[in-house]
Amino acid sequence: MQNGDHGPTGLTHAATSTRLIVAANRGPAQFYQRADGKFVARQASGGLATAFVSLAAGSDLSWIAVAGTEVERRAFEEKPHRVVRIGPARVDTRYVAVPDRIYKLYYDDISNSTLWFAQHYLFHPDLSPDFGLAERQAWHEGYVTVNRMVADAIVAEIQGLTPAEQAQAVVMIQDYQLYLVPGMLREALPGVTQSHFVHIPWPALRYWQMLPQEIYGQIIASMLANNVVGLQTMQDVKNFLACVAEVQPQATITSADDANYITWHGHRLLVKAYPIGINADHIRTLAHSRAAKSGFAGIARYFADRQTILRVDRLEPTKNIIRGLEAFETLLEQHAELRGKVRFVMMLVPSREGVRRYRDYARRVNKLVQKINAKYGTPDDPAVVHVAGNDQARALAAMRVCDVLLVNSVIDGMHLGAKEAAVVNEKQGVLVISRTAGVYQQLGDGAALGVSPLDVQATADALYHALTLPQAERAALAEEACHRVEDHDVFAWLEDQLVDARHMAKWPARHRPAAPTPAPVVAGSQPDAPAHVTSASG
Ligand code: G6P
């Protein structure tokens, strides 16, 4: 936290006096249609919605999202602007209703098959993907179109505010699905205050360079139209700055401590790491809720009779679920004394089933579970249990009683599940985390055991170590992890960005000559001069 004067939500006056407009692919609620045709909203799970909604309890909040289901499309075509009440909060929502075909191009083809894989280093560059006309069409017809619709919806939202509200407005854009929104918004409303937080890793320049130049060029140019660009870790920040230096050589980058300022076409922005946190009180309450108890009742037997290694993830390739299973198999192979004494419970949320690589990966996961169980378990007493479904309360209940939490992601922006386990676990459970996950970079040694994600043997060794650590050492790790998570919660994350965005907004109003229209990079063009990078202290 940067300022004092904290209100009941844990946020300062600087934050609660802001007229906040959130733009994200997903909204704060999911919409359902009742038999009588009426649309009803239920709060979406997840830390982001909880954090922003806590803020809305103290002030007004608007949320622009993309309708992801047929029901949501119908709901917002019927009425483009809906007020959703979540607890004491009142959230003005606009979900952009996108035709199904366009949505698939935007969500499946570009956001999840291209950008998600690029940013998690998951291409197989020897063979795939290919970028041809179809992919360029997906970019223009899908991604650019949906970003344009979201930007237009934000403009409409801002124009509907009173002048006093407009003066206090900050637009907080979330993640990789909406990279082009900042540039479009700045063009329409040159004085807008906007920040963009990227929840996933920002890869090295050379990995971006595998994509068509006009695509990453447009992304970078648009991101520079923000007042603040937030990334999860310092490594992400360094990578982002290296991309800017290459793609926009006219940009001037000045670094001081952990803040980096870019001046570009007379516009100045801040680039900084804001590692995302959780709302520990909310998570603890949910972990002890009736929903958690009843959800957990169905799986309690898997935790009752032996030590448990748990993983809680979306079922997807970046999570490295197959190598996690291989590490568990190796553990049982090499430590016969653990057979029948330790179980691996994987709580996996089905994800992006419209993307072929996800479906193939899920099939491989299930096959490997069967193989390990045939070797080391029986139908009544499986060594590995795959609990499928999206039930956050049940997962938190399981985190309370696991002995080890495995987070061996190939690479991960943060991994909030690891933070949740750190605050709810009651057994001095040990966190085994990939060194390439943001959460490991933030919590670090002394709070978790680090593993390299491809190193199956070292992961098996770390699991063994975690299961056999003396109680005092487990307790020291668990206490440190909990302390470090609580020390920087989701309110601090939100607050820091809001304070910085409002601070940065004061600068360009005097200095910006005109709206800096992001110039698309023309394929084949060469940078004309190296970027100017300086360092300043203090
Ligand atoms: C994870 C990432 C987020 C991302 C989300 C998208 O939670 O951490 O950065 O926005 O996945 O998931 P979805 O299910 O909406 O495609």
Side-chain angles (χ1 to χ4, degrees):
M1 294 274 177
Q2 298 190 341
N3 290 346
D5 187 22
H6 293 255
T9 57
L11 292 157
T12 66
H13 177 70
T16 51
S17 65
T18 297
R19 183 61 175 83
L20 185 61
I21 298 165
V22 177
N25 175 54
R26 292 211 185 236
Q30 276 169 335
F31 286 81
Y32 301 89
Q33 193 165 23
R34 291 195 322 217
D36 64 2
K38 237 184 137 194
F39 293 101
V40 287
R42 238 175 270 147
Q43 182 177 359
S45 61
L48 204 60
T50 315
F52 286 126
V53 165
S54 307
L55 177 70
S59 60
D60 286 334
L61 166 70
S62 304
W63 195 309
I64 319 289
V66 183
T69 63
E70 198 41 51
V71 171
E72 288 181 347
R73 253 167 245 151
R74 282 205 305 273
F76 281 87
E77 266 160 8
E78 181 193 287
K79 197 173 157 211
H81 197 209
R82 290 170 175 268
V83 174
V84 174
R85 290 185 190 283
I86 302 174
R90 182 183 174 281
V91 187
D92 286 321
T93 56
R94 285 175 194 253
Y95 285 24
V96 170
V98 182
D100 192 41
R101 189 183 75 84
I102 303 292
Y103 181 81
K104 284 198 174 103
L105 297 175
Y106 147 81
Y107 181 75
D108 287 338
D109 294 2
I110 299 298
S111 298
N112 293 333
S113 299
T114 305
L115 296 176
W116 179 270
F117 279 97
Q119 295 196 236
H120 291 85
Y121 295 88
L122 276 185
F123 287 156
H124 296 307
D126 52 336
L127 293 171
S128 75
D130 289 340
F131 252 90
L133 279 181
E135 290 72 23
R136 281 181 166 76
Q137 195 184 348
W139 172 258
H140 290 291
E141 282 188 32
Y143 195 81
V144 177
T145 303
V146 174
N147 274 250
R148 168 68 63 200
M149 290 170 82
V150 170
D152 290 349
I154 299 171
V155 172
E157 188 66 25
I158 292 176
Q159 286 171 342
L161 299 179
T162 64
E165 286 175 323
Q166 285 186 9
Q168 298 294 320
V170 176
V171 183
M172 294 185 82
I173 304 158
Q174 305 300 308
D175 235 348
Y176 59 98
Q177 299 93 345
L178 302 180
Y179 281 144
L180 301 185
V181 168
M184 294 167 171
L185 197 54
R186 179 70 67 203
E187 212 174 336
L189 301 173
V192 70
T193 304
Q194 53 180 339
S195 68
H196 196 135
F197 185 76
V198 182
H199 293 250
I200 65 175
W202 193 276
L205 168 67
R206 280 195 167 170
Y207 215 74
W208 280 108
Q209 285 176 319
M210 295 202 187
L211 293 176
Q213 193 179 22
E214 69 266 28
I215 287 186
Y216 68 82
Q218 282 175 43
I219 289 174
I220 299 285
S222 172
M223 291 297 276
L224 292 181
N226 284 294
N227 298 88
V228 172
V229 170
L231 298 135
Q232 296 275 24
T233 68
M234 281 308 296
Q235 187 59 56
D236 298 314
V237 169
K238 282 185 197 154
N239 288 345
F240 181 83
L241 295 175
C243 289
V244 172
E246 174 71 21
V247 175
Q248 293 293 342
Q250 325 83 316
T252 304
I253 304 172
T254 311
S255 300
D257 297 330
D258 61 347
N260 302 276
Y261 297 92
I262 301 179
T263 308
W264 180 71
H265 291 299
H267 172 70
R268 189 166 142 97
L269 66 144
L270 171 67
V271 181
K272 205 168 133 182
Y274 302 88
I276 192 167
I278 59 168
N279 176 349
D281 288 343
H282 171 76
I283 290 298
R284 282 200 187 97
T285 306
L286 195 54
H288 290 86
S289 65
R290 212 179 306 155
K293 270 183 207 125
S294 69
F296 187 66
I299 56 169
R301 64 186 182 285
Y302 299 126
F303 294 77
D305 55 347
R306 64 193 67 177
Q307 283 190 294
T308 315
I309 300 167
L310 177 69
R311 85 170 306 143
V312 179
D313 277 307
R314 285 185 302 108
L315 203 176
E316 77 136 290
T318 60
K319 302 299 178 187
N320 208 15
I321 296 164
I322 291 177
R323 287 201 191 81
L325 281 164
E326 287 168 353
F328 181 66
E329 190 180 17
T330 305
L331 174 78
L332 295 187
E333 243 161 51
Q334 297 175 351
H335 297 279
E337 75 282 8
L338 291 182
R339 294 176 200 160
K341 299 262 167 30
V342 56
R343 185 174 278 127
F344 187 18
V345 178
M346 307 195 303
M347 304 183 78
L348 301 176
V349 181
S351 182
R352 304 174 189 165
E353 288 160 309
V355 180
R356 179 140 146 236
R357 193 145 161 205
Y358 281 69
R359 292 196 299 273
D360 293 347
Y361 194 77
R363 262 195 297 275
R364 286 189 58 188
V365 166
N366 288 328
K367 265 177 112 170
L368 190 50
V369 171
Q370 282 168 16
K371 183 188 144 205
I372 298 173
N373 278 337
K375 224 159 134 189
Y376 294 114
T378 66
D380 292 336
D381 184 14
V384 183
V385 178
H386 175 178
V387 181
N390 188 2
D391 184 340
Q392 196 193 7
R394 177 176 66 176
L396 290 170
M399 287 176 181
R400 286 175 57 188
V401 295
C402 69
D403 297 278
V404 178
L405 184 85
L406 177 63
V407 178
N408 66 321
S409 323
V410 174
I411 180 169
D412 220 316
M414 182 51 62
H415 203 293
L416 293 179
K419 293 191 169 188
E420 290 164 359
V423 301
V424 301
N425 185 267
E426 293 158 10
K427 291 181 77 180
Q428 278 99 36
V430 179
L431 301 170
V432 175
I433 307 183
S434 272
R435 295 192 181 89
T436 46
V439 67
Y440 186 81
Q441 293 176 21
Q442 192 197 350
L443 299 184
D445 294 332
L449 304 184
V451 290
S452 298
L454 309 193
D455 195 340
V456 174
Q457 181 61 56
T459 306
D461 294 345
L463 291 176
Y464 181 76
H465 188 52
L467 290 166
T468 55
L469 258 189
Q471 187 69 14
E473 286 177 46
R474 291 168 65 96
L477 282 173
E479 206 175 296
E480 194 53 36
C482 183
H483 169 71
R484 290 183 195 175
V485 170
E486 284 187 322
D487 202 39
H488 191 87
D489 64 10
V490 72
F491 298 110
W493 172 81
L494 184 52
E495 166 97 15
D496 289 350
Q497 288 172 83
L498 278 177
V499 170
D500 285 346
R502 289 182 65 168
H503 177 73
M504 290 305 293
K506 291 185 191 131
W507 195 87
R510 287 196 314 274
H511 298 268
R512 194 186 307 122
T517 306
V521 172
V522 180
S525 70
Q526 291 300 314
D528 43 24
H532 182 61
V533 182
T534 58
S535 268
S537 58

